[in-house]
Amino acid sequence: MKITDYQKVQTLDESNIVLIDGNNGTKTIMVTDFIKSLIGLTSSQDFISGVNLSELTQINTLSADDKLLIGTAAGNKAIGADDALFAILDAFVPKEQRRMIYRGKNLGSVITEDQKANIKNGTFKGFFLGDYWSIGSYTWRIVDFDYWYNCGDTAFTKPHLVIMPDKPLYNAQMNETNITTGGYVGSKMYKENLSQAKTLAASAFGNLILTHREHLTNAVTNGYPSGGSWYDSTLELPNEIMMYGSHVFAPSGNGTIIPNRYTISKTQLALFSVVPKLISNRATFWLRDVVSSAYFAFVDGYGDSSCYGASVSLGVRPVFAIG
């Protein structure tokens, strides 16, 4: 039977067997040992899990047209070589490591029922860092996993993917004039200008968008963020830490003033650590950090961190959780 006649395997489990064609006929290896065998090829080990690797015809390169034969309870099936590695990882990698493995696969133009189930049950099967949905004219990308888990004045315990669009959804002002009075929560951005982003996100993900508790700045004194509180949060502008891994323009304490910089969004989003070129995407967009009595922080399309007067209209590239 030709390999092309086999049904393609999308996922693997521990009972699956890989068939390998050697000089002495077809041999088998459990899929759990398959990676060990591949490693063995590079470490000159002759026998791993009963397969004599020295008898096999070594394949030096693979193409997207190559397939591996998989023995299953339903008979022999085939999986494309381009899918095999991630299928193995999907079956066996701990879910915490998914935030360190970039794939960047198009997951479709709508979130499926299976995808919804695998987010809600916390297994995250079928998802890796950088995977995305193309919904409408926007690319909605997975930038982290369980980022806010167990955080907040009320613990956030729902499994979740963290989503950001690849580019700003539109442009808007932080405030009508160059003021930061009331901090992020007091801004026109927070009160009005995020509404369109919430509508666009809801049109893509519906009731999958989750609410968690976030500590946000609500007062500014002498240019310093001086107050904050806990708020229900669905969709927000990211802060400097989420993008860069640290504060850049947000003011620090001077020995007398202790600025209000409390946040549960306290580490860089995984995607921007693994693939830093995706931080700006040559786009300019606002961040929620207060910089002074007139300026908020933003990401510059030139790739640098920056800040600007609140009345300038810049991109809105929000972040939110689904689950």
Side-chain angles (χ1 to χ4, degrees):
M1 180 180 291
K2 296 180 181 179
I3 291 179
T4 53
D5 293 332
Y6 289 119
Q7 177 183 348
K8 186 175 181 180
V9 176
Q10 299 293 339
T11 60
L12 297 173
D13 62 50
E14 294 181 3
S15 66
N16 295 152
I17 299 169
V18 178
L19 307 183
I20 303 177
D21 185 24
N23 294 332
N24 294 327
T26 300
K27 299 179 181 293
T28 64
I29 183 170
M30 296 299 296
V31 72
T32 50
D33 295 322
F34 183 55
I35 289 294
K36 297 177 185 177
S37 296
L38 295 179
I39 295 171
L41 283 172
T42 63
S43 59
S44 300
Q45 296 181 18
D46 290 331
F47 289 88
I48 298 179
S49 190
V51 176
N52 187 343
L53 299 178
S54 63
E55 295 181 357
L56 303 181
T57 300
Q58 185 173 351
I59 297 176
N60 292 319
T61 59
L62 292 173
S63 73
D65 295 327
D66 293 327
K67 293 181 173 62
L68 301 175
L69 302 183
I70 308 294
T72 76
N76 292 341
K77 297 186 180 183
I79 185 169
D82 53 344
D83 294 325
L85 175 59
F86 279 101
I88 293 170
L89 293 174
D90 202 32
F92 305 112
V93 71
K95 66 179 184 178
E96 290 79 9
Q97 291 185 16
R98 292 173 185 270
R99 67 188 303 273
M100 298 182 285
I101 301 172
Y102 178 82
R103 180 170 63 173
K105 179 180 178 180
N106 188 335
L107 300 174
S109 59
V110 64
I111 187 165
T112 68
E113 292 303 314
D114 283 345
Q115 289 171 345
K116 292 177 184 178
N118 287 336
I119 302 170
K120 290 178 178 294
N121 64 25
T123 64
F124 302 125
K125 293 289 187 183
F127 302 109
F128 289 94
L129 190 65
D131 290 352
Y132 62 93
W133 289 272
S134 295
I135 302 177
S137 58
Y138 304 102
T139 298
W140 305 92
R141 195 174 296 271
I142 299 171
V143 296
D144 216 326
F145 296 77
D146 278 351
Y147 180 80
W148 292 293
Y149 194 88
N150 218 22
C151 293
D153 59 338
T154 299
F156 184 46
T157 57
K158 293 183 178 180
H160 58 279
L161 300 179
V162 183
I163 305 296
M164 285 185 72
D166 270 4
K167 294 287 184 75
L169 302 176
Y170 53 89
N171 284 5
Q173 297 170 300
M174 292 297 293
N175 282 312
E176 292 182 347
T177 59
N178 289 334
I179 59 170
T180 59
T181 307
Y184 173 64
V185 170
S187 70
K188 185 174 182 180
M189 176 67 74
Y190 182 83
K191 294 177 179 178
E192 300 179 23
N193 292 347
L194 284 178
S195 296
Q196 184 181 349
K198 292 177 181 179
T199 298
L200 290 170
S203 69
F205 297 99
N207 61 9
L208 289 179
I209 296 175
L210 298 174
T211 299
H212 68 278
R213 297 283 285 173
E214 185 80 45
H215 198 280
L216 302 171
T217 302
N218 62 15
V220 176
T221 303
N222 296 326
Y224 285 87
S226 56
S229 188
W230 292 101
Y231 296 88
D232 286 341
S233 174
T234 53
L235 176 150
E236 308 293 350
L237 295 184
N239 64 18
E240 288 186 309
I241 298 175
M242 299 173 85
M243 302 307 299
Y244 313 129
S246 68
H247 286 296
V248 181
F249 281 96
S252 59
N254 61 7
T256 300
I257 296 174
I258 301 176
N260 187 285
R261 301 201 300 185
Y262 303 104
T263 180
I264 62 170
S265 300
K266 57 191 180 292
T267 59
Q268 188 176 26
L269 291 166
L271 179 67
F272 304 132
S273 175
V274 176
V275 192
K277 68 181 181 181
L278 296 179
I279 291 174
S280 72
N281 277 333
R282 302 301 293 178
T284 301
F285 53 93
W286 283 118
L287 302 176
R288 67 178 185 245
D289 305 81
V290 171
V291 173
S292 70
S293 59
Y295 283 24
F296 282 90
F298 73 92
V299 174
D300 199 315
Y302 291 165
D304 59 313
S305 57
S306 194
C307 60
Y308 221 152
S311 66
V312 176
S313 183
L314 299 179
V316 176
R317 187 185 178 192
V319 61
F320 56 95
I322 64 170

